[in-house]
Amino acid sequence: MTRNQQLFDRAKQIIPGGVNSPVRAFGSVGGTPRFIRRAAGAFVWDEDGTRYTDYVGSWGPAIVGHAHPEVIEAVREAAAGGLSFGAPTEAEIVIAEEIAKIVPGVERLRLVSSGTEATMSAIRLARGYTGRDKIVKFEGCYHGHSDSLLVKAGSGLLTFGHPSSAGVPADFTAHTAVLPYNDTAALEAYFAAQGAQTACVIWEPIAGNMNLVKPSAEFVQTLRRLTAEHGAVLIYDEVMTGFRAALGGAQSLHGITPDLTTMGKVIGGGMPLAAFGGKREIMECISPLGGVYQAGTLSGNPVAVAAGLKTLQIIQREGFYENLADLCARLTQGLTQAAAEAGVPFCADFVGGMFGLYFAEQIPQSYADMTASNTDAFKTFFHGMLARGVAFGPSAYEACFMSAAHTPELIDDTVAAAKSVFARMA
Ligand SMILES: *Cc1c(COP(=O)(O)O)cnc(C)c1O
């Protein structure tokens, strides 16, 4: 038995499923999750001592590479001064000012500890601000695990959703409509019928939780127009895309100013830190200024803020995003060519420092497209690559992440490994 297997067996005796977040259990690809001992730069090492080139990047945060010396030093320094005070600190102001400078839609900002908290709070705020109950999300988009967002689509376009998790009362999701991603006509039909009762639309402005799916320009423009016309708050959930698809997030690529933005992942640099922010008029509805309650014992944690602030400094250095995009282009082109040579149906896409790999003839535009892709082929690819020391996320529905610590040589090694996997798959 490998040490990974021993640890997985032991973990299952005390932690449900052996993991603290479900996708880590390798449920959809089978096999034994790798227990990570340490990470540095573009690599992670498991408990058996095997090194992997890592394209998971802690699901996005590790954009400057794992254990970046400057980030570690900032964390050390902050930790030595105390781990948490439950009182305001100067560093919180500095990071909030920094984020507002980078993200177009942020006039006021509050720090929280997870993306789930950020989206849950943003939705409460949108409801409090508008005095309306209904919210809209899109199929295949993930916004964390709060009750009203764990919803699958209802049977018709204008019906409201059903809970997608046990333990969520149907009443809690009765106000959540789920619409198809990239479907402008469905959006128009919804707003014509329910626009006046709708508090907000929350969306992934580039979807990264059903693999990578980009919105059409028409869909983006229609969403901004309809929410504005009906007085609904437009929430850009940039927990994944913020500081990742581009420095200023997807909103900077879209040329759109959302009403609220949620952020996480990269802003903590690997520590538990997230945020929500946006228009002053809306943000000032939260307590202590307004009637919408929101709080957190560890919110603005000094050690997490130190990691985040240093990460934000590094990503603003000259050429950072150009380099990430070059690396993503090199990898996606290399993989696409290798698959074509082997005759394996495959395509790939990227934006900034995130990319998607699809075992499909065409790049998916929606959740329906994505679920029609070949997940068995992905499983074979995933395990073939893992056996060759390359780690992608253990699910066909996850986007992949590049870091500044990856190099063109490393990308070429990944493509060479993929060639041998594709050859065996053909
Ligand atoms: C990861 C993610 C979340 C949830 O963040 P957690 O920190 O895991 O709670 C929310 N929205 C999007 C778009 C995400 O990718």
Side-chain angles (χ1 to χ4, degrees):
M1 248 220 265
T2 67
R3 190 160 157 73
N4 287 311
Q5 284 166 333
Q6 287 168 6
L7 288 171
F8 194 34
D9 287 348
R10 184 171 142 209
K12 285 189 278 196
Q13 302 304 311
I14 183 71
I15 300 169
V19 293
N20 283 312
S21 196
V23 76
R24 298 179 194 172
F26 274 35
S28 73
V29 290
T32 307
R34 303 308 193 254
F35 282 71
I36 304 304
R37 181 190 292 252
R38 71 186 185 93
F43 303 111
V44 295
W45 284 262
D46 72 10
E47 288 285 354
D48 283 306
T50 307
R51 188 188 84 171
Y52 302 89
T53 301
D54 181 32
Y55 295 103
V56 183
S58 186
W59 301 103
I63 197 165
V64 299
H66 291 288
H68 190 291
E70 291 176 61
V71 177
I72 299 300
E73 187 46 41
V75 166
R76 258 193 240 288
E77 212 172 285
L83 298 180
S84 173
F85 318 121
T89 62
E90 183 175 1
E92 292 165 78
I93 313 170
V94 178
I95 197 169
E97 288 170 346
E98 195 66 20
I99 293 168
K101 221 168 61 190
I102 298 171
V103 184
V106 171
E107 293 171 6
R108 292 289 185 274
L109 173 99
R110 184 160 277 180
L111 298 176
V112 292
S113 302
S114 73
T116 295
E117 266 184 273
T119 56
M120 182 185 75
S121 304
I123 283 173
R124 184 181 304 144
L125 178 56
R127 284 173 161 157
Y129 170 73
T130 57
R132 303 171 182 178
D133 289 340
K134 294 187 197 309
I135 65 173
V136 175
K137 75 177 287 291
F138 298 97
E139 257 182 322
C141 289
Y142 177 70
H143 305 289
H145 60 93
S146 67
D147 285 337
S148 64
L149 291 167
L150 289 178
V151 192
K152 57 187 176 217
S155 52
L157 277 184
L158 300 179
T159 62
F160 282 79
H162 306 298
S164 61
S165 163
V168 177
D171 289 355
F172 288 22
T173 59
H175 299 296
T176 309
V178 184
L179 303 180
Y181 200 84
N182 259 337
D183 188 335
T184 305
L187 195 61
E188 300 262 16
Y190 171 85
F191 268 95
Q194 314 271 3
Q197 292 92 52
T198 299
C200 66
V201 176
I202 185 167
W203 81 314
E204 284 187 71
I206 295 165
N209 285 288
M210 51 170 158
N211 207 321
L212 176 70
V213 176
K214 293 175 180 171
S216 70
E218 184 202 21
F219 191 68
V220 169
Q221 296 303 327
T222 306
L223 190 51
R224 179 65 282 190
R225 178 176 57 78
L226 288 173
T227 46
E229 277 173 15
H230 291 86
V233 173
L234 176 58
I235 305 174
Y236 264 54
D237 180 1
E238 301 234 41
V239 170
M240 184 181 286
T241 53
F243 319 97
R244 170 59 74 177
L247 178 64
Q251 59 196 264
S252 70
L253 297 174
H254 292 173
I256 293 279
T257 307
D259 303 309
L260 292 177
T261 301
T262 53
M263 291 154 275
K265 297 194 167 105
V266 168
I267 55 166
M271 296 288 285
L273 184 69
F276 64 103
K279 296 214 164 103
R280 174 179 169 178
E281 181 192 348
I282 304 174
M283 287 301 292
E284 292 191 343
C285 292
I286 54 177
S287 52
L289 293 182
V292 178
Y293 192 70
Q294 190 279 331
T297 301
L298 296 179
S299 291
N301 176 270
V303 186
V305 165
L309 203 48
K310 182 52 74 178
T311 302
L312 292 184
Q313 285 168 6
I314 297 170
I315 64 179
Q316 289 181 78
R317 290 176 188 163
E318 187 73 28
F320 186 89
Y321 286 88
E322 289 79 356
N323 175 49
L324 279 185
D326 286 348
L327 293 168
C328 283
R330 189 180 186 99
L331 181 60
T332 52
Q333 284 163 15
L335 292 176
T336 304
Q337 196 184 333
E341 281 164 12
V344 174
F346 173 89
C347 50
D349 200 5
F350 76 93
V351 55
M354 60 195 282
F355 60 98
L357 311 178
Y358 324 93
F359 287 87
E361 302 281 356
Q362 280 179 351
I363 294 172
Q365 303 297 311
S366 67
Y367 185 63
D369 286 356
M370 194 49 229
T371 50
S373 75
N374 186 343
T375 50
D376 283 337
F378 174 79
K379 268 187 230 178
T380 309
F381 175 76
F382 170 82
H383 280 294
M385 294 304 285
L386 202 61
R388 287 163 179 78
V390 182
F392 291 107
S395 160
Y397 299 108
E398 303 291 351
C400 310
F401 302 96
M402 192 63 76
S403 86
H406 289 74
T407 61
E409 294 71 34
L410 209 48
I411 304 292
D412 294 346
D413 291 346
T414 298
V415 172
K419 271 190 186 156
S420 82
V421 175
F422 285 140
R424 286 189 42 200
M425 289 171 69

